[in-house]
Amino acid sequence: LGLVEHYAKQGVRVTAINRRVDGSCSTPYPHVSSECLDVRDASAITNLISKMAKAGELPDIFFLNAGINRLDNDPALDLQQFREVLETNLMGVMNFIAPLTELNAWPHRIKVVAISSVTYYIGNPYCLGYYISKKALTETLRMFSSMYAKTNLQFQWVVLGPVPTRIFCTSDNFPK
C-alpha cells in the first residue's frame, strides 16, 4: 500500500484492485477507490471499466497488485497450479489492459501500474509459474509502454526488492 498511499497523498485518483473474496475493499484514502473482484474474470473487469468510462470516473492510475504463488518442492510440474498462477498474475493484468485499449479515446492520462517481482531477474525453481508470469508481465508492459507512448494510456511496472519470504531459496540469508 505504500505506493497507493504516496499517490493518494498527492491527490491522484487511484483505483486499487483487490482479489479479496471477503469483500473488505475499503480504503482510508479519499482519492483511492478500491474494487474487489477476481482478476481472472475478464467480463467483470470489462464491465467495471465500461461503467467507469460511461460515468466519467476513470482514475488517473489503475494499481494492479493481485498476484499468487504456489511453492512446490516436487520436481513434477503441477499444471493446474501453473495455470492458476499464470491466469492470475499475467492474464489478470491483460484483462485490465484489453478494455482500456479498446476505448476510443482517453479523457486524461491513465496509467496502468502493475507489480512485477525481483524473481523476474533471478528466477526460482520452486515457483516456475510465478517466475514466468512476472517475466512475461514485465516484458508485455514494456512493449505496451512503447506502443502507447504517444497516447494518454501509459504503462508502468514496479519491481520490488527481495522480501524475506519463502519465494526465495535464499530467504534464510536475510537479516531477521
Side-chain angles (χ1 to χ4, degrees):
L1 273 177
L3 290 172
V4 172
E5 181 179 13
H6 169 76
Y7 288 122
K9 286 180 178 178
Q10 295 179 20
V12 176
R13 293 173 301 163
V14 178
T15 295
I17 306 304
N18 294 298
R19 297 179 52 248
R20 293 189 180 115
V21 293
D22 63 4
S24 62
C25 287
S26 63
T27 174
Y29 309 111
H31 299 290
V32 177
S33 67
S34 186
E35 298 286 339
C36 281
L37 49 84
D38 183 349
V39 296
R40 297 171 299 175
D41 185 348
S43 63
I45 294 168
T46 298
N47 290 339
L48 172 67
I49 290 175
S50 176
K51 180 181 88 175
M52 292 174 118
K54 286 178 185 169
E57 296 176 351
L58 286 168
D60 301 313
I61 299 175
F62 278 103
F63 190 79
L64 308 175
N65 189 28
I68 62 171
N69 182 38
R70 302 288 184 251
L71 290 174
D72 192 357
N73 293 333
D74 187 344
L77 178 61
D78 182 330
L79 283 178
Q80 181 59 35
Q81 284 184 359
F82 188 81
R83 192 173 286 117
E84 183 181 339
V85 170
L86 289 177
E87 282 289 320
T88 302
N89 299 357
L90 176 61
M91 294 309 298
V93 173
M94 297 294 97
N95 288 338
F96 271 92
I97 291 174
L100 287 172
T101 62
E102 292 171 5
L103 295 175
N104 292 330
W106 303 279
H108 57 276
R109 177 170 284 162
I110 298 171
K111 186 180 283 190
V112 176
V113 178
I115 297 298
S116 187
S117 170
V118 73
T119 62
Y120 164 79
Y121 300 107
I122 63 175
N124 182 325
Y126 300 107
C127 55
L128 182 62
Y130 188 80
Y131 166 70
I132 289 173
S133 69
K134 294 301 185 175
K135 187 142 184 107
L137 171 66
T138 302
E139 293 305 319
T140 300
L141 292 176
R142 188 184 316 272
M143 294 306 297
F144 276 116
S145 183
S146 294
M147 291 166 50
Y148 288 88
K150 295 181 181 179
T151 73
N152 272 342
L153 187 57
Q154 304 292 301
F155 297 91
Q156 183 177 356
W157 56 98
V158 177
V159 178
L160 303 174
V163 178
T165 64
R166 294 184 324 135
I167 196 168
F168 293 101
C169 295
T170 59
S171 63
D172 290 339
N173 296 332
F174 282 93
K176 302 285 186 226

